[in-house]
Amino acid sequence: MTTKLLTALLLGTSILGSAGMAYAQDATLNIESWRGDDLAIWKDKLIPAFEAKNPGIKVVFAPSAPTEYDAALGAKLAAGSAGDLITCRPFDKSLELFKKGNLADLSALPGMENFSPVAKSAWQTDDGKATFCVPMASVIHGFIYNKDAFDQLGIKVPETRDEFFAALDKIKADGTYIPMAMGTKDLWEAATMGYQNIGPNYWKGEDGRTALIKGEQKLT
């Protein structure tokens, strides 16, 4: 099978939407993903449900370690041994794969019209003319707070940016707790919370990204 067959985002469940496609009997579809945490649900629920409705098609979900996924996938694509279904990172990582010819243009894939422009924006070319991954899941970002610390210092859960900073200032002034901590060992934490969650609110999302690429704005 070609690695350009279909691509999926995050949970990779777009394979369930491909039942109407024509495959040779006794074909095997291999799914690339970094979501090892989802292995049980794929093996126990998703794959059995798909294979029951599609006899002759065997599905193999073979995730790589999250911190090794990009390098492992790149090596497999270069060697021509990558899976048939590829879980896509958002934005430039997958755009780079598309420009190299590793991902197919799925703009005309049946069902794509059901996704909003926002849902597809992280897996499109800058001009929006080509969509190369199927949006199948989204993630909510946020901060976990220490309820005991808030109760002890008389802090209410902040609802605005100003209240959030005021809470951090109060915690810092007290000195008992660290105001805010974020792990960086696996790298995705800083990317997710910094560049994909907090940052876009300050550089106006896509406007800031394109301005940075054009050299019209600096990341400071």
Side-chain angles (χ1 to χ4, degrees), residues 3 32 70-83 86 97 102-103:
T3 57
E32 300 281 2
D70 295 340
L73 178 60
K76 289 180 181 179
L77 288 170
S81 60
I86 297 173
L97 294 179
N102 296 133
L103 301 179

Side-chain angles (χ1 to χ4, degrees), residues 58-206:
K58 179 179 175 58
V59 177
V60 177
F61 181 71
S64 303
T67 55
E68 300 171 3
Y69 180 72
D70 295 340
L73 178 60
K76 289 180 181 179
L77 288 170
S81 60
D84 306 288
L85 300 166
I86 297 173
T87 308
C88 298
R89 298 285 196 187
F91 301 107
D92 289 354
K93 280 289 185 181
S94 292
L95 178 59
E96 182 181 351
L97 294 179
F98 176 71
K99 289 180 176 179
K100 290 180 178 179
N102 296 133
L103 301 179
D105 183 352
L106 304 178
S107 303
L109 185 72
M112 289 297 281
E113 70 278 3
N114 297 321
F115 294 101
S116 70
V118 172
K120 295 183 288 188
S121 63
W123 300 275
Q124 289 183 323
T125 51
D126 290 340
D127 57 15
K129 293 182 179 179
T131 302
F132 41 81
C133 297
V134 180
M136 294 306 295
S138 58
V139 177
I140 296 175
H141 298 159
F143 290 94
I144 298 173
Y145 70 97
N146 186 327
K147 189 175 185 302
D148 291 339
F150 273 48
D151 291 342
Q152 180 180 330
L153 300 177
I155 301 174
K156 295 182 179 180
V157 178
E159 297 182 358
T160 67
R161 183 183 64 176
D162 289 342
E163 291 178 358
F164 179 71
F165 285 134
L168 295 178
D169 288 340
K170 190 169 185 178
I171 295 171
K172 181 179 180 180
D174 175 76
T176 304
Y177 303 93
I178 296 174
M180 183 171 67
M182 181 173 65
T184 57
K185 180 179 179 181
D186 292 336
L187 302 182
W188 67 264
E189 301 95 336
T192 297
M193 297 307 298
Y195 291 107
Q196 298 171 16
N197 182 352
I198 302 170
N201 296 291
Y202 291 89
W203 59 68
K204 299 181 180 180
E206 184 66 9

